[in-house]
């Protein structure tokens, strides 16, 4: 009996009359709490808000038993979303689908937009227009306030200047052809010139004709009395009002073109005058004797100086654009550069004298944008274009053209050099300066090209050849905007010669 009493005492001691704290929940309690929580959540579901249905008490393992391979992690909040919609949401969706393609009234557009925003916020909790990823129509969406774009441009392709620039077209045919009957086919003469007033003067045997390039009118200016005499050279003044004419009877005549009147005849040479060039009121003339004379046309005693650097006929003569130097070329294959005429008329020595050419030098041209650059071209025995630096006296470049060079001129519109050729090509070539790479060839003359001149706007060149034709080549047309700006800069000035010519 004592044994049973002892066991009863132990059971009474171990009996728990109070609930155990921090003890695990009983199984029946877990089931009850799970069912009550799920029912409360489903009952409080609000439209447009999703529920994490995967957060359940089921013991489904996250990995397939027996496989140690790592599985693709599921998305946060569950692997599947099953929306629940109430009747109000279905009605709104049906209304939007039926009204989507109907035309929108302009008066109610703003009201409809506001109502759609309100429905979207009430159904989804936010405006659907702000949540679009792809916007297929309409204006681009504005970035929200305070948004900063940290993206950088790694590569961008734009149109290069070469692709934007318009391609220049040089016609291979002349713009106009003029007839020049009885033109003297003499390499050493300079038989035509283009004035700043757009008038072309050409010597046909013993007569001088004027062709107005603007109107197309032709005028006979003068004719020598003797049929045996002929015109050897022509040169316009800078203003284009007066024309100097060198003749075979050793005279230099000065004509007023507007009045068609001879102002004076100056005699000082002993042989024909084959080249002329103006420098303000001073007219320089070169003759077959090899002498160069300076004439001051304002005074009665016009002969103010003589240059004696050539031993044979002076066939090329041109003053630099700034009036500092006079370049002369002769049949003795020499190129000389002379300083400006001194006040006292004292004879001067050449600044430079080159004898590198192997043929007669008739072609001479000063660069208009580089006053210290002179280009010269040799005859049949030489056929070279040489570029000289007058300041240093060096030959910058030399090019063999494989043809006789009769005339040179710089084209400032495109920074190019134009050469006229006789035997054997009888053509005109445009060269890029200073590289002297060939740009284009102008063919058409059937005999050697004797001379070349440039129009006052520097867009057209005129060539005269032994085939008794004058051809105009419009090869240097400039942009109209630049052309107007250049015309504003070239304002007419009063003639210095008109002050007092005796």
């Amino acid at each position: 009996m004592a044994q049973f009493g002892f066991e009863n005492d132990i059971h009474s001691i171990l009996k728990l009359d109070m609930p155990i704290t921090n003890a695990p929940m009983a199984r029946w309690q877990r089931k009850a709490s799970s069912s009550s929580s799920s029912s409360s959540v489903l009952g409080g579901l609000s439209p447009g808000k999703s529920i994490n249905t995967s957060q359940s008490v089921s013991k489904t393992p996250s990995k397939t038993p027996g496989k140690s391979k790592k599985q693709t992690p599921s998305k946060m909040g569950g692997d599947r979303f099953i929306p629940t919609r109430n009747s109000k949401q279905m009605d709104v969706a049906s209304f939007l689908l039926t009204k989507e393609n109907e035309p929108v009234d302009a008066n109610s557009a703003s009201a409809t937009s506001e109502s759609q925003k309100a429905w979207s916020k009430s159904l989804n909790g936010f405006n659907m227009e702000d949540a679009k990823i792809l916007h297929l129509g309409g204006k681009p969406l504005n970035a929200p306030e305070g948004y900063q774009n940290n993206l950088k441009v790694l590569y961008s392709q734009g149109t290069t200047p070469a692709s934007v620039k318009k391609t220049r077209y040089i016609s291979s045919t002349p713009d106009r052809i003029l007839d020049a009957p009885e033109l003297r086919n003499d390499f050493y003469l300079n038989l035509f010139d283009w004035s700043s007033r757009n008038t072309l003067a050409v010597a046909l045997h013993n007569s001088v004709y004027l062709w107005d390039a603007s109107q197309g009118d032709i005028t006979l200016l003068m004719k020598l009395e003797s049929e045996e005499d002929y015109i050897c050279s022509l040169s316009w003044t800078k203003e284009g009002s007066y024309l100097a004419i060198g003749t075979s009877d050793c005279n230099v005549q000065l004509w007023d073109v507007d009045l068609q009147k001879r102002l004076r005849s100056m005699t000082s040479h002993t042989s024909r005058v084959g080249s002329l060039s103006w420098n303000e009121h001073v007219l320089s003339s070169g003759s077959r004797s090899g002498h160069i004379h300076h004439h001051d046309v304002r005074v009665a005693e016009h002969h103010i100086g003589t240059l004696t650097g050539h031993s044979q006929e002076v066939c090329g003569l041109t003053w630099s654009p700034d009036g500092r130097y006079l370049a002369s070329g002769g049949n003795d294959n020499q190129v000389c550069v002379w300083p400006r005429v001194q006040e006292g008329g004292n004879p001067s020595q050449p600044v430079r004298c080159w004898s590198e050419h192997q043929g007669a030098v008739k072609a001479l041209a000063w660069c208009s944008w580089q006053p210290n650059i002179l280009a010269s071209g040799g005859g049949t025995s030489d056929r070279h274009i040489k570029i000289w630096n007058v300041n240093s006296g060096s030959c910058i470049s030399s090019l063999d053209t494989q043809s006789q060079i009769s005339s040179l001129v710089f084209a400032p519109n495109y920074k190019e050099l134009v050469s006229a050729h006789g035997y054997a090509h009888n053509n005109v070539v445009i060269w890029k300066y200073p590289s002297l790479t060939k740009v284009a060839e102008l063919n058409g003359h059937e005999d050697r090209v004797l001379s070349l001149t440039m129009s006052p706007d520097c867009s057209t060149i005129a060539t005269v050849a032994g085939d008794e034709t004058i051809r105009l080549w419009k090869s240097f047309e400039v942009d109209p905007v630049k052309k107007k700006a250049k015309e504003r800069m070239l304002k007419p000035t009063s003639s210095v010669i008109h002050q007092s010519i005796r």
Side-chain angles (χ1 to χ4, degrees):
M1 295 296 292
Q3 182 180 357
F4 291 107
F6 178 72
E7 291 178 356
N8 291 333
D9 294 337
I10 291 177
H11 282 297
S12 62
I13 294 172
L14 297 176
K15 185 178 181 180
L16 299 178
D17 296 331
M18 299 177 63
I20 301 175
T21 60
N22 299 328
M25 185 180 295
R27 184 175 182 182
W28 65 270
Q29 291 177 338
R30 290 200 300 270
K31 289 184 177 181
S33 63
S34 174
S35 60
S36 63
S37 62
S38 61
S39 62
S40 63
V41 169
L42 292 175
L45 180 66
S46 59
K49 293 184 180 180
S50 62
I51 265 195
N52 188 358
T53 56
S54 65
Q55 293 179 355
S56 62
V57 294
S58 63
K59 302 266 182 170
T60 305
S62 59
K63 297 182 179 179
T64 305
K67 294 184 179 180
S68 61
K69 184 178 180 180
K70 186 177 181 180
Q71 302 294 323
T72 304
S74 60
K75 295 181 182 179
M76 183 179 294
D79 57 351
R80 195 168 68 164
F81 172 69
I82 303 176
T84 15
R85 300 188 182 276
N86 54 23
S87 60
K88 183 179 179 181
Q89 287 178 317
M90 298 301 296
D91 293 341
V92 171
S94 177
F95 172 76
L96 293 176
L97 290 174
T98 55
K99 298 296 181 180
E100 182 179 4
N101 298 323
E102 292 185 0
V104 181
D105 187 6
N107 298 328
S108 60
S110 59
T112 305
S113 177
E114 294 297 329
S115 61
Q116 288 179 352
K117 290 181 181 179
W119 289 339
S120 179
K121 288 183 180 180
S122 62
L123 294 176
N124 305 306
F126 55 88
N127 188 7
M128 290 297 296
E129 293 292 333
D130 298 337
K132 285 184 178 180
I133 298 176
L134 295 176
H135 193 73
L136 301 179
K139 298 180 179 179
L141 299 175
N142 296 327
E145 185 177 358
Y147 173 77
Q148 293 182 353
N149 187 2
N150 296 324
L151 299 178
K152 296 180 180 180
V153 178
L154 299 180
Y155 175 79
S156 63
Q157 182 179 6
T159 54
T160 58
S163 61
V164 174
K165 187 177 179 181
K166 295 182 179 179
T167 305
R168 176 186 170 197
Y169 172 73
I170 301 177
S171 176
S172 58
T173 58
D175 184 64
R176 182 171 296 184
I177 301 177
L178 305 176
D179 191 19
E182 299 185 33
L183 181 75
R184 196 170 186 86
N185 192 352
D186 192 332
F187 174 80
Y188 300 97
L189 305 184
N190 297 273
L191 300 178
F192 83 143
D193 194 18
W194 208 330
S195 75
S196 59
R197 295 167 62 175
N198 207 15
T199 301
L200 188 65
V202 57
L204 303 179
H205 186 48
N206 61 349
S207 303
V208 175
Y209 288 87
L210 305 178
W211 178 69
D212 190 346
S214 302
Q215 305 296 330
D217 300 332
I218 299 175
T219 305
L220 174 61
L221 179 64
M222 59 85 67
K223 184 177 181 180
L224 297 176
E225 296 178 358
S226 175
E227 289 292 334
E228 297 178 357
D229 294 330
Y230 54 92
I231 308 298
C232 300
S233 55
L234 299 173
S235 181
W236 288 98
T237 59
K238 184 179 180 180
E239 296 80 10
S241 302
Y242 303 96
L243 179 66
I245 302 173
T247 63
S248 61
D249 58 354
C250 313
N251 290 330
V252 177
Q253 298 183 11
L254 184 61
W255 284 76
D256 187 331
V257 176
D258 296 331
L259 301 177
Q260 296 186 16
K261 178 183 177 181
R262 187 179 70 179
L263 300 179
R264 65 185 305 176
S265 180
M266 298 174 288
T267 304
S268 61
H269 289 288
T270 58
S271 58
R272 71 176 186 179
V273 182
S275 55
L276 295 168
S277 183
W278 285 94
N279 184 14
E280 295 182 352
H281 57 274
V282 175
L283 174 63
S284 300
S285 59
S287 70
R288 179 176 278 180
S289 63
H291 293 170
I292 300 173
H293 290 182
H294 294 314
H295 311 271
D296 189 342
V297 299
R298 303 172 300 174
V299 297
E301 298 297 329
H302 56 87
H303 186 201
I304 60 174
T306 301
L307 306 177
T308 58
H310 293 279
S311 59
Q312 296 186 36
E313 181 172 11
V314 179
C315 49
L317 201 63
T318 176
W319 278 96
S320 61
D322 55 6
R324 293 181 58 191
Y325 300 111
L326 174 67
S328 63
N331 195 29
D332 55 358
N333 307 342
Q334 286 193 344
V335 178
C336 296
V337 178
W338 309 86
R340 184 180 300 174
V341 183
Q342 302 297 326
E343 289 297 330
N346 297 324
S348 57
Q349 298 298 321
V351 178
R352 303 290 178 189
C353 193
W354 299 292
S355 56
E356 279 80 354
H357 283 289
Q358 304 300 317
V361 181
K362 176 191 175 185
L364 294 172
W366 290 95
C367 183
S368 57
W369 60 91
Q370 290 180 315
N372 62 319
I373 298 299
L374 175 67
S376 62
T380 308
S381 303
D382 182 73
R383 302 174 299 183
H384 280 73
I385 295 177
K386 295 184 182 295
I387 308 297
W388 308 94
N389 187 328
V390 177
N391 294 340
S392 63
S394 60
C395 180
I396 300 175
S397 58
S398 179
L399 174 69
D400 187 1
T401 64
Q402 301 295 325
S403 186
Q404 177 192 44
I405 304 170
S406 59
S407 188
L408 290 171
V409 66
F410 278 95
N413 289 350
Y414 292 94
K415 301 292 190 297
E416 292 169 340
L417 178 65
V418 189
S419 59
H421 299 273
Y423 179 79
H425 296 156
N426 300 333
N427 64 351
V428 179
V429 182
I430 302 175
W431 311 89
K432 193 66 182 176
Y433 178 81
S435 62
L436 294 184
T437 56
K438 187 180 294 186
V439 177
E441 289 187 16
L442 307 178
N443 299 293
H445 283 293
E446 298 176 358
D447 204 333
R448 62 178 179 180
V449 183
L450 297 173
S451 191
L452 171 72
T453 186
M454 179 78 69
S455 64
D457 62 352
C458 300
S459 66
T460 308
I461 55 173
T463 57
V464 62
D467 57 4
E468 297 185 346
T469 61
I470 298 174
R471 297 173 187 253
L472 278 66
W473 313 81
K474 211 164 190 176
S475 306
F476 309 96
E477 284 189 296
V478 75
D479 184 38
V481 178
K482 295 181 180 179
K483 183 179 179 181
K484 290 182 179 179
K486 188 175 181 179
E487 288 177 352
R488 286 195 296 266
M489 294 177 62
L490 297 175
K491 296 180 180 179
T493 57
S494 60
S495 176
V496 181
I497 304 174
H498 189 66
Q499 296 175 1
S500 58
I501 298 180
R502 300 180 185 177

